[in-house]
Amino acid sequence: MPPFDVPEGDPFGPHNLPYGVFSPSDGAERRVGVRLGDRVLDAGAVARELGSPDADLLARPTLNTLLAAGPEAWSRVRGALTTWVTDPAYGAVVEPHLHPLAEVGLHLPFEVADYVDFYASENHARNVGRIFRPNAIDSLTPNWKHLPIGYHGRAGTVVVSGTDVVRPSGQRKGPGDPEPVFGPSVRLDIEAEVGFVVGTPSAQGTPVPLTAFREHVFGLCLLNDWSARDIQAWEYVPLGPFLGKSFATSVSAWITPLAALEHARVAPPERTHPLLPYLDDSGTGPGGYDLRISVAINGQVVSEPPFSTMYWTAAQQLAHLTVNGASLRTGDLYASGTVSGPAENQRGSLLELTWNGRDPLELPDGKRAFLEDGDVVTLSAWAPGADGARVGLGEVSGRIVGS
């Protein structure tokens, strides 16, 4: 076993190799890193030392240059990295550039261009419908089975895992309140999601078809789209989420390339309504991903949402995002929306888990209807890999602090 190998069964072994950006010490320059077990490989330093023609893609303070290079470069770089960390002949070069994960600083891995959030889980959408429209004949809105609903968010408040989240303030008005009031949100929530990172841009006026998904999307990560439910409820009619969403969106420090998740591809749930041609994926390969997510509050697991249940796939979301001619930019981030399964312990938000606060969660440190200051929320996940291996996704964590 070469000295830079990892124990058998480690979800961050050579079969995974997610990308991030790290600093080996305080004040040091940021650089592209690849996670290998509980260490981080300085990918640019190794590439330079070995004379790799792709060294310039890796010797950067963000992933954006690599993202923009496109699928052929992504495949070539991944192949080289896999060789470097598995072939003992490279051990003398690789070993000095491995840093203990616990001793490095992790940063937002790419510069976010635009941010879009979708609403792709039927279980989540139906739960929300039942909560807010209990007398409706159908808990889904009329358009839900025909298109992936989404909204444009705020790219400038996407933050890396570990960043504190300041409780937002804004207007709120309860059903019985005579007038709105201003103050900190009292119904602060989470949304367990998966984010997709765009690498290759597209031209304005040219939609991206379903079949071009892998030409544009580099990889995915866990994402928590924090939500102030009370602020959102008062402001969202008629234009949708605004201040209740834009204060913070947390992403993992590690972007898992799609190439690492080939064995996790699954067919989405059966579609119940005919789809327009640009969304019809019946003739394409499996567009879903079998990601097993866990949601913990202060270390206590409260939910395990299965991503395989998502009705709308990432490829369909991308096709819909661009069908009007909207262009893609390197660093665009689009999120799946809250991931919720059919069971009560598979709901990806406190709104659903507590049924809008009616049924608080019982945690070791007390009940929770919504988040309190000091609470730490952590999302983690894994996906099935080849021969029974697990592919780990980098966790995303955030602590609530008072405003």
Side-chain angles (χ1 to χ4, degrees):
M1 179 181 292
F4 46 87
D5 208 346
V6 295
E8 184 177 355
D10 192 300
F12 292 97
H15 63 296
N16 189 345
L17 301 181
Y19 294 86
V21 169
F22 77 104
S23 297
S25 60
D26 290 342
E29 292 183 356
R30 298 184 181 190
R31 58 201 71 187
V32 172
V34 175
R35 182 168 175 180
L36 185 65
D38 59 0
R39 294 196 282 180
V40 181
L41 176 68
D42 187 336
V46 172
R48 282 195 305 270
E49 193 166 335
L50 292 175
S52 168
D54 293 312
D56 187 56
L57 300 180
L58 298 170
R60 300 282 180 161
T62 75
L63 291 177
N64 288 63
T65 302
L66 175 61
L67 297 179
E72 289 186 9
W74 305 340
S75 178
R76 189 174 61 245
V77 169
R78 178 172 171 80
L81 285 165
T82 302
T83 299
W84 298 341
V85 301
T86 56
D87 188 339
Y90 294 99
V93 176
V94 170
E95 183 66 28
H97 297 295
L98 283 167
H99 301 265
L101 180 61
E103 297 178 10
V104 304
L106 297 176
H107 309 285
L108 191 65
F110 61 100
E111 294 178 4
V112 182
D114 287 309
Y115 170 55
V116 173
D117 189 34
F118 282 97
Y119 190 52
S121 166
E122 181 175 356
N123 296 301
H124 172 66
R126 287 199 179 278
N127 285 336
V128 171
R130 292 180 184 119
I131 289 170
F132 292 115
R133 300 183 301 277
N135 298 319
I137 296 174
D138 189 348
S139 54
L140 295 179
T141 54
N143 60 348
W144 202 93
K145 286 294 183 81
H146 297 278
L147 57 85
I149 297 172
Y151 73 94
H152 286 273
R154 190 176 182 90
T157 51
V158 176
V159 297
V160 72
S161 175
T163 304
D164 285 347
V165 175
V166 178
R167 181 178 296 274
S169 292
Q171 288 192 32
R172 60 179 191 269
K173 181 181 181 299
D177 297 337
E179 298 291 339
V181 298
F182 180 86
S185 170
V186 296
R187 300 173 74 84
L188 188 55
D189 199 357
I190 63 167
E191 289 189 346
E193 306 192 21
V194 174
F196 292 83
V197 181
V198 171
T200 312
S202 66
Q204 189 170 358
T206 305
V208 175
L210 288 168
T211 53
F213 168 69
R214 292 174 176 276
E215 297 174 21
H216 293 276
V217 174
F218 174 79
L220 57 77
C221 64
L222 290 176
L223 181 149
N224 186 351
D225 198 33
W226 307 89
S227 300
R229 301 295 184 190
D230 44 356
I231 295 173
Q232 182 181 354
W234 173 234
E235 72 181 0
Y236 85 104
V237 178
L239 294 182
F242 191 49
L243 299 182
K245 290 283 196 175
S246 62
F247 58 96
T249 300
S250 296
V251 296
S252 171
W254 301 104
I255 309 302
T256 303
L258 294 184
L261 296 166
E262 279 300 300
H263 293 272
R265 294 176 65 187
V266 294
E270 182 180 357
R271 274 54 184 275
T272 56
H273 291 58
L275 298 176
L276 290 171
Y278 79 96
L279 291 172
D280 184 358
D281 60 355
S282 58
T284 65
Y289 285 95
D290 182 8
L291 311 178
R292 323 287 179 88
I293 303 171
S294 291
V295 181
I297 300 176
N298 302 333
Q300 177 72 34
V301 174
V302 297
S303 179
E304 295 184 320
F307 192 72
S308 59
T309 62
M310 300 297 276
Y311 190 87
W312 296 104
T313 70
Q316 289 173 317
Q317 291 165 29
L318 189 71
H320 186 65
L321 171 64
T322 60
V323 74
N324 68 342
S327 58
L328 298 175
R329 294 194 290 170
T330 296
D332 278 354
L333 172 68
Y334 67 97
S336 63
T338 305
V339 183
S340 291
E344 290 186 9
N345 66 344
Q346 295 177 332
R347 296 169 178 172
S349 68
L350 288 173
L351 176 70
E352 299 165 86
L353 286 166
T354 71
W355 213 250
N356 201 23
R358 184 194 68 188
D359 307 315
L361 296 178
E362 295 280 356
L363 299 180
D365 55 350
K367 293 184 178 182
R368 292 291 188 286
F370 292 93
L371 295 175
E372 298 182 0
D373 290 352
D375 283 346
V376 176
V377 179
T378 303
L379 310 183
S380 57
W382 63 274
D387 301 321
R390 291 189 176 192
V391 179
L393 273 64
E395 71 172 31
V396 57
S397 183
R399 179 173 65 99
I400 304 301
V401 298
S403 56

